[in-house]
DNA sequence: TATTAATATAACTATTTAGCTATATAGTCA
DNA sequence: TGACTATATAGCTAAATAGTTATATTAATA
């Protein structure tokens, strides 16, 4: 059973996607993640468990709190999966090499 | 309710992902799509409906048959969504928390 | 027109899920 | 230690889902 099952299932819920969107700004505790929502703390904890089981986030122990953070690898897995379909919508399908070339020469960091 | 709900839900099933993988090679009828699987024809038809409701595929009428094809726009939507996380894993950004440390201690690749 | 072929729909069952409230666990602090 | 804080877990309910078989629909063909 592919882990993509869990990844895509986790992403199918808007609350969970919102949690990820918050976590992309940095680590956050359950209390912090809970705040913008109207749902209960146990529900948030369960959503976080689904995200963690999917490998999308991880938990760190910090005294009383359990801050969560994004796990990059899972997103990379999605990107890899999506790659096999990129040719389908890319306008540059016929010139895929050009696309790759463009990616190589993208702006260098300062 | 975002359509990404439906898209990610559709993708969470391995049978449906396999159907998409077949369709990336080109249009196929239900009978053709059914063949590699051990599940019933109605099940496949329902999976196809889920994929179509998500906008991932579309149906054409051809006499008796209803060949399905990939719909590129939905994949583009996934790619767009994923884009907001790309910084997380691309280049040296293995982990957002480590960005500053990394930039201090590591020479960016040329 | 009657038959066959391709596909969809209905009706049922078992499983999963998202929400809730109540409670348990574990760390911090006075 | 006792109170408080942060979070997890248990147990419940309602809704959704994936599978099944049986049947309906529609086009092609003899």
């Amino acid at each position: 059973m592919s882990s993509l099952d869990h990844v895509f299932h986790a992403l199918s819920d808007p609350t969970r996607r919102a949690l990820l969107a918050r976590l992309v700004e940095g680590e956050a505790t359950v209390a912090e993640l809970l705040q913008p929502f109207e749902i209960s703390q146990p529900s948030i904890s369960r959503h976080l468990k689904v995200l963690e089981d999917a490998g999308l986030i991880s938990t760190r122990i910090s005294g009383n709190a359990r801050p969560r953070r994004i796990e990059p690898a899972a997103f990379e897995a999605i990107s890899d999966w999506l790659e096999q379909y990129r040719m389908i919508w890319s306008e540059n399908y016929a010139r895929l090499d050009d696309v790759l070339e463009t990616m190589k020469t993208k702006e260098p960091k300062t």
Side-chain angles (χ1 to χ4, degrees), chain A:
Chain A
M1 167 175 35
S2 162
S3 170
L4 281 178
D5 288 26
H6 298 102
V7 169
F8 284 129
H9 167 68
L11 296 177
S12 72
D13 183 278
T15 299
R16 287 192 291 260
R17 289 200 305 280
L19 290 168
L20 289 176
R22 166 64 185 77
L23 287 172
V24 82
E25 292 165 20
E27 235 183 32
T29 65
V30 173
E32 288 164 348
L33 291 167
L34 171 63
Q35 193 221 320
F37 296 97
E38 307 236 315
I39 66 184
S40 65
Q41 172 264 311
S43 289
I44 292 291
S45 282
R46 202 122 70 108
H47 280 309
L48 291 171
K49 189 173 193 323
V50 172
L51 288 168
E52 183 157 9
D53 288 347
L56 288 157
I57 65 174
S58 61
T59 304
R60 186 169 67 86
I61 296 183
S62 172
N64 225 2
R66 305 290 145 95
R68 305 314 212 277
R69 66 161 54 144
I70 292 262
E71 276 298 317
F75 291 86
E76 215 168 348
I78 301 167
S79 183
D80 288 349
W81 176 85
L82 197 56
E83 206 44 49
Q84 75 187 110
Y85 297 97
R86 187 167 301 276
M87 66 173 75
I88 293 237
W89 78 82
S90 169
E91 290 184 9
N92 291 330
Y93 172 39
R95 292 178 289 124
L96 186 57
D97 293 355
D98 291 359
V99 175
L100 294 174
E101 206 55 33
T102 298
M103 290 176 65
K104 273 185 198 165
T105 60
K106 99 177 99 178
E107 148 189 20
K109 292 149 41 98
T110 57

